[in-house]
Amino acid sequence: MAFIKPFRALRPPKGLAEKVAALPYDVMNVEEARLMAAGNPNSFLHVSRPEIDLAADIDPHDEPVYVQGSKNLADFIRRGALVLDERECFYVYRQSMGEITQTGLVVCTSVDDYQSGVIKKHELTRADKEDDRVKHIDYLDANDEPVFYLSRSSAEIEAIISEIAAAPPEYDFATDDGVNHTLWIVADQGLIDRLTTLFAAVPRLYVADGHHRSAAAGRVRELRRQKNPGHTGQEEYNVFLTVIFPETQLNIMPYNRAVKDLNGQSPAEFMARVEEAFTLLPSPVPVVPCERHQFGMYLEGRWYQLHARDTVIDESDTVGRLDVSILQNRLLDPVLGIRDPRTDKRIHFVGGIRGNEELAKLVNSGEYAVAFSLYPTSIRELIELADQDRIMPPKSTWFEPKLRSGLFVHRLS
């Protein structure tokens, strides 16, 4: 049973929403974040990536960065760039990108549900990234960025959300990347109660994007509980900020890979090793895989189409048959020596929204030796694995469009 809770959002006034809204903290590097926020003191990147307001050589995990984030959030509140709603509400958030439209319910979900397995995960977290999110949330005293969850489709829930979205919205604007963002406030107590009851019948939710933020929410709760002798379980730190979308509306793109070197091999030696597990054909155009077990490879200025040989595919293994697993287990590990992609500094993950152009750019720059394009993991595969409590390789899914940060913030106290 999934517990959801309304909350008093800290959010921008109508006229500032477009200026405040920012991409999530982890989809750009610090240089890109500085450029995105340049000339815009209301960009939420000043809160989610506060290192942009400090010296260029500062370590983003140093304490002054977290202190700066807290100062910047307080400044947003002081000058009215973020205002606290008067009562607890749900919110409906719609994103449209080309033919893709996804409409989710903005709520707080339960740390207990995450820790007990009602909320299902499909990836492991990295200790350093988890530590960073714990400090960031704790210093802010807020969940500044929502976690992206999905649920099984429910006709009744979706009908209520569609009815809400038929009314005039609170926000409606387009961002530079061509995504339209629309938000409705759900203040009616009858609707809040109805949605809460319907979600209580939902057996489980699934993490789409935000494993580190989810895990960090649990650790922050433990820190707060230890410091609070009067802990009741009803405090705001027991829940965290989430947007829940129905499975049928979500769009997964591939999460591509680039590797810095060929593990001491010449290009010819490397390609000979690749052909042990894959068929390999030169391609006159960039390879965008159009089916499972097909891959693109960019090496020395040329594209190649790879197909996993039948002998390396075990369709009975729900994890092993994933394309990200096949690439890792049959090429990245044995041929390129990438034993642990979660920690190896030689591998770089490239979100599918950046396209094959980014892969070619990385290799052509000389910083990387080879890059791979993949076919996207499916929603069905994600749910199947999560239900089995199995774990995908890291960076198996890239959801697009990304939730914008700054449109709603959840305060912990």
Side-chain angles (χ1 to χ4, degrees):
M1 294 171 59
F3 174 80
I4 63 171
K5 178 186 178 299
F7 68 103
R8 295 176 66 193
L10 189 62
R11 59 184 185 82
K14 275 188 180 184
L16 280 182
E18 186 174 353
K19 290 287 188 182
V20 171
L23 284 166
Y25 82 101
D26 57 351
V27 303
M28 82 285 285
N29 59 38
V30 65
E31 292 80 12
E32 290 169 332
R34 288 183 197 277
L35 287 173
M36 290 176 184
N40 180 10
N42 292 316
S43 170
F44 199 72
L45 289 172
H46 294 286
V47 175
S48 61
R49 295 296 298 262
E51 62 268 31
I52 67 175
D53 293 327
L54 299 171
D57 61 350
I58 194 165
D59 185 327
H61 302 120
D62 282 350
E63 185 176 13
V65 175
Y66 305 111
V67 172
Q68 186 67 41
S70 179
K71 288 180 179 178
N72 288 351
L73 179 60
D75 180 63
F76 270 53
I77 296 169
R78 179 189 57 77
R79 54 190 176 79
L82 293 174
V83 179
L84 188 65
D85 275 343
E86 293 184 359
R87 58 163 297 174
E88 293 187 339
C89 300
F90 288 147
Y91 306 83
V92 169
Y93 179 30
R94 173 173 289 166
Q95 296 176 293
S96 299
M97 182 181 75
E99 297 180 355
I100 299 164
T101 296
Q102 55 189 34
T103 307
L105 187 66
V106 184
V107 303
C108 280
T109 48
S110 165
V111 167
D112 287 336
D113 280 358
Y114 180 77
Q115 295 180 339
S116 69
V118 170
I119 297 170
K120 310 295 285 186
K121 58 188 178 183
H122 66 268
E123 289 186 9
L124 298 174
T125 57
R126 279 175 42 181
D128 58 340
K129 290 190 66 177
E130 196 176 306
D131 290 346
D132 170 63
R133 288 302 91 189
V134 169
K135 292 176 183 176
H136 181 73
I137 294 167
D138 198 34
Y139 272 80
L140 288 185
D141 193 29
N143 303 128
D144 63 322
E145 295 192 307
V147 181
F148 190 153
Y149 283 180
L150 66 91
S151 67
R152 294 280 194 175
S153 292
S154 163
E156 196 167 358
I157 291 173
E158 289 170 45
I160 293 173
I161 290 175
S162 293
E163 181 180 340
I164 293 166
E170 176 74 1
Y171 307 146
D172 189 8
F173 62 91
T175 43
D176 292 342
D177 56 357
V179 180
N180 199 80
H181 304 267
T182 314
L183 186 85
W184 293 264
I185 300 172
V186 186
D188 180 89
Q189 192 61 48
L191 285 175
I192 291 172
D193 291 343
R194 184 65 182 143
L195 286 165
T196 302
T197 299
L198 288 170
F199 268 95
V202 172
R204 55 185 65 93
L205 301 173
Y206 301 86
V207 182
D209 193 2
H211 286 84
H212 290 91
R213 278 164 282 174
S214 299
R219 287 178 54 188
V220 169
R221 193 269 293 271
E222 296 311 309
L223 290 173
R224 298 294 177 97
R225 179 161 61 180
Q226 290 170 14
K227 295 176 180 177
N228 180 10
H231 173 84
T232 66
Q234 302 303 309
E235 297 86 358
E236 287 297 317
Y237 57 71
N238 292 284
V239 295
F240 57 102
L241 184 60
T242 310
V243 187
I244 306 171
F245 294 91
E247 59 177 312
T248 52
Q249 296 182 13
L250 297 185
N251 173 55
I252 299 184
M253 299 181 76
Y255 219 144
N256 299 318
R257 276 87 164 123
V259 179
K260 286 185 175 291
D261 58 69
L262 298 182
N263 198 29
Q265 303 163 100
S266 70
E269 291 170 332
F270 167 69
M271 291 176 70
R273 291 287 309 281
V274 170
E275 287 192 281
E276 293 172 9
F278 301 84
T279 62
L280 189 154
L281 292 171
S283 172
V285 295
V287 178
V288 179
C290 58
E291 61 183 5
R292 293 172 67 234
H293 310 331
Q294 183 185 92
F295 306 83
M297 182 175 78
Y298 188 71
L299 175 71
E300 293 193 307
R302 294 192 66 182
W303 280 98
Y304 299 86
Q305 184 180 108
L306 277 57
H307 234 110
R309 297 186 187 277
D310 291 342
T311 53
V312 305
I313 302 169
D314 180 2
E315 290 291 356
S316 67
D317 182 350
T318 52
V319 174
R321 71 190 183 203
L322 296 173
D323 284 352
V324 286
S325 296
I326 293 170
L327 185 68
Q328 174 61 35
N329 297 336
R330 299 295 180 170
L331 199 162
L332 296 179
D333 182 353
V335 181
L336 291 174
I338 306 292
R339 304 284 183 256
D340 185 355
R342 293 172 61 240
T343 58
D344 199 308
K345 302 301 184 184
R346 295 167 55 228
I347 189 169
H348 176 56
F349 300 94
V350 183
I353 194 67
R354 292 180 179 256
N356 281 13
E357 297 84 358
E358 180 70 10
L359 300 180
K361 176 183 173 183
L362 290 171
V363 175
N364 292 341
S365 73
E367 187 177 354
Y368 291 83
V370 63
F372 303 92
S373 57
L374 288 84
Y375 187 70
T377 304
S378 70
I379 294 288
R380 178 190 59 79
E381 289 171 323
L382 185 157
I383 290 175
E384 180 181 20
L385 285 165
D387 282 342
Q388 296 172 1
D389 292 322
R390 301 198 69 187
I391 298 298
M392 293 182 183
K395 309 297 184 184
S396 292
T397 55
W398 179 275
F399 285 86
E400 198 70 41
K402 295 292 183 186
L403 306 182
R404 282 311 195 271
S405 301
L407 296 179
F408 30 83
V409 173
H410 169 239
R411 304 188 73 170
L412 302 187
S413 61

